[in-house]
Amino acid sequence: MLARRWRYRSSAFASPLSPVRRFGVVYVPNGMNMKEWTPDATGKAFELRSVMAPFAPYKDQLVVVTNLDSKPPANVPGAGGHARASTRFLTDVPPKQSQSAELEAGPSIDQILAKKLGQETQLASLEVSIDGRDFAGSCDFGFSCAYSNSISWLNATTPLPMENDPRVVFERLFGDDGTTDPAIRRARRGEDRSVLDSVTDELGRLKGGLGAADNAKMSQYLEAIRDIERRIDVAQKQNAQEVSHVAQPAGVPASFEEHVKLLFDMQVLAYQGDMTRISTFMLGRELSGRSYPEIGVYDAHHPTSHHQYDPVKLERLAKINTLHTKLFAYYLEKLKATPDGDGSLLDHTLLIYGAGMSDSQLHSPIGLPLVLVGGASGQLKGGRHLKYPTNTPLANLHLSLLDKFGVPIDRLGDSSGRLDVDTLSEL
């Protein structure tokens, strides 16, 4: 099975006539310190404020988008601010209030795209998260935790699980056992061999048919795989030693930063090997109570986000927001450094980075913090801050992006049309 899958993916290393286009989303929970996020000027003259400062090296491929709202309909009760934030971020549909399995929202734009772009790849899409799904009791009252745990919805009733264990993600991409069952995966790891060893013969035959430049790409790719596999093994050994102190699934590093980087690196590999063209990543679930002692923030994220406009708490929130943007900048650098066709993976990928609420003190869905980054083969003209009229639905941006990927639909959630045609022509 693995050899057949590898042969299919290996075509990604032959120089393409025209590069493929990819779409990714990186979501951050619990809102944003909007004062340290939003640029003052619009157009090309804008300057990045402190939270977005890590994006400076990629400013020419970045579009800051402001004044887009994700407001629920007027007849929907006001509870569930966090569940709504994550659910509406890509679906534009408010979640049905339910604590049972009777979930309801709508298909998310990543899955609408996956139905078309995923026809040519091993995985239609890849969904990952920094948090696991074992957070019962830490969710909005009256709403299932499933709403807070995912931003990807296959259809109106099916949120997709976001995997947080790098080992499981790695084996989903490269493993030959065809399952994520823990017992089977432990048995496979017990064989004490690299995933790459099982395809050595196939790789030898493949290399013989590639030119020097494409062989260099292949070598770089394999080295990246080996490095990730080594890092996961190190994390597993650490977890085995520390299991009496911290209960963690095998493969999840103790370090938040290393965990995030591992999951970003595997998304790069998935794009590079053309195993998928669609990915979503939650840097935290809504209501996340993670603390960040490594940056001097010892209080939990969610209580910190309810800052009551206290300057000290706002400063702490900005530190958390900035740590997230620094890690996203790491991802951008990886994509930019990876050759793809006549450019880089970043040139041929369109990414959304943002949150499902703006002012976290108010759980506000108005004027969400959003940036678009990348190129997606000429689909994005960067270096701009676009400020849209008040009351413009986020869904209008989603419709416009679907158009750009050749997947037009008439309506999505509360959409009222496409974005202004003059602005859209520059996207």
Side-chain angles (χ1 to χ4, degrees):
M1 178 186 292
L2 181 57
R4 288 197 299 273
R5 286 166 57 186
W6 188 277
R7 275 198 294 270
Y8 179 74
R9 297 196 305 267
S10 66
S11 62
F13 295 97
S15 299
L17 296 176
S18 59
V20 300
R21 291 184 293 171
R22 306 170 184 87
F23 176 75
V25 180
V26 177
Y27 182 86
V28 291
N30 299 334
M32 196 74 66
N33 182 327
M34 295 303 293
K35 181 179 179 181
E36 297 303 322
W37 170 273
T38 311
D40 292 325
T42 59
K44 297 180 179 180
F46 76 98
E47 294 184 3
L48 298 172
R49 298 190 68 85
S50 64
V51 170
M52 278 200 279
F55 299 161
Y58 318 99
K59 188 177 178 181
D60 62 337
Q61 289 184 279
L62 178 144
V63 176
V64 182
V65 182
T66 54
N67 258 21
L68 297 186
D69 302 340
S70 184
K71 295 185 291 187
N75 62 345
V76 175
H82 288 276
R84 287 177 178 170
S86 49
T87 302
R88 285 179 56 87
F89 191 68
L90 297 181
T91 69
D92 303 299
V93 177
K96 173 185 176 181
Q97 188 163 353
S98 171
Q99 290 183 294
S100 69
E102 295 181 4
L103 307 174
E104 187 176 320
S108 53
I109 63 166
D110 61 304
Q111 292 307 302
I112 295 172
L113 285 172
K115 286 184 177 179
K116 178 178 180 180
L117 302 184
Q119 294 177 6
E120 301 179 40
T121 56
Q122 172 187 316
L123 301 176
S125 59
L126 181 65
E127 298 80 33
V128 296
S129 173
I130 201 68
D131 291 324
R133 297 182 288 276
D134 51 344
F135 286 91
S138 181
C139 307
D140 274 334
F141 179 76
F143 290 83
S144 167
C145 289
Y147 290 125
S148 300
N149 288 343
S150 182
I151 55 174
S152 293
W153 285 69
L154 184 64
N155 51 45
T157 58
T158 311
L160 294 175
M162 316 285 285
E163 182 55 60
N164 78 313
D165 188 339
R167 170 63 70 178
V168 176
V169 177
F170 186 80
E171 292 181 0
R172 187 181 177 199
L173 294 173
F174 304 105
D176 59 355
D177 48 43
T179 181
T180 59
D181 180 84
I184 295 176
R185 291 190 290 112
R186 283 195 298 270
R188 181 179 176 276
R189 289 199 299 270
E191 296 174 9
D192 193 26
R193 61 180 178 86
S194 167
V195 169
L196 296 180
D197 292 342
S198 63
V199 293
T200 300
D201 293 340
E202 179 65 25
L203 291 175
R205 288 192 293 271
L206 175 63
K207 283 194 170 188
L210 295 177
D214 293 328
N215 261 313
K217 292 181 187 177
M218 170 67 80
S219 297
Q220 180 189 41
Y221 186 66
L222 296 181
E223 283 304 313
I225 294 173
R226 290 189 183 99
D227 179 62
I228 283 180
E229 194 170 32
R230 177 191 60 78
R231 288 154 66 187
I232 292 174
D233 287 339
V234 169
Q236 285 184 290
K237 291 176 182 177
Q238 291 174 338
N239 290 339
Q241 294 170 352
E242 300 168 6
V243 68
S244 60
H245 304 288
V246 181
Q248 292 178 301
V252 176
S255 162
F256 171 78
E257 184 173 335
E258 174 62 9
H259 190 184
V260 172
K261 287 181 176 180
L262 265 175
L263 291 174
F264 272 140
D265 288 350
M266 279 186 278
Q267 289 171 79
V268 173
L269 287 174
Y271 283 160
Q272 187 181 8
D274 204 25
M275 286 175 276
T276 190
R277 298 173 187 177
I278 307 291
S279 70
T280 50
F281 185 13
M282 295 183 77
L283 280 181
R285 65 186 299 277
E286 283 296 334
L287 288 161
S288 168
R290 181 183 297 274
S291 61
Y292 297 88
E294 65 270 33
I295 57 171
V297 178
Y298 296 90
D299 296 332
H301 187 180
H302 179 227
T304 299
S305 73
H306 286 278
H307 43 70
Q308 299 179 312
Y309 307 105
D310 178 343
V312 174
K313 287 189 175 181
L314 281 167
E315 182 183 3
R316 292 172 186 162
L317 181 60
K319 284 184 177 182
I320 295 172
N321 297 154
T322 304
L323 174 62
H324 291 163
T325 56
K326 286 179 179 178
L327 290 168
F328 183 59
Y330 166 87
Y331 182 40
L332 297 179
E333 179 54 36
K334 284 280 189 172
L335 292 170
K336 188 173 184 178
T338 304
D340 183 58
D342 58 355
S344 69
L345 284 179
L346 185 59
D347 296 329
H348 305 139
T349 303
L350 180 60
L351 300 169
I352 297 177
Y353 179 95
M357 62 176 69
S358 51
D359 183 345
S360 49
Q361 175 62 30
L362 302 176
H363 289 171
S364 176
I366 298 172
L368 297 182
L370 298 164
V371 294
L372 308 176
V373 194
S377 304
Q379 296 297 306
L380 186 70
K381 182 179 179 181
R384 295 175 299 140
H385 172 201
L386 304 181
K387 186 175 183 178
Y388 288 95
T390 302
N391 294 322
T392 300
L394 172 62
N396 289 7
L397 172 64
H398 292 159
L399 283 183
S400 302
L401 294 180
L402 290 172
D403 287 346
K404 288 296 182 182
F405 277 89
V407 188
I409 60 176
D410 294 333
R411 186 175 177 82
L412 186 67
D414 63 341
S415 63
S416 60
R418 269 67 178 169
L419 296 182
D420 178 79
V421 67
D422 293 330
T423 302
L424 179 60
S425 66
E426 295 185 342
L427 274 177

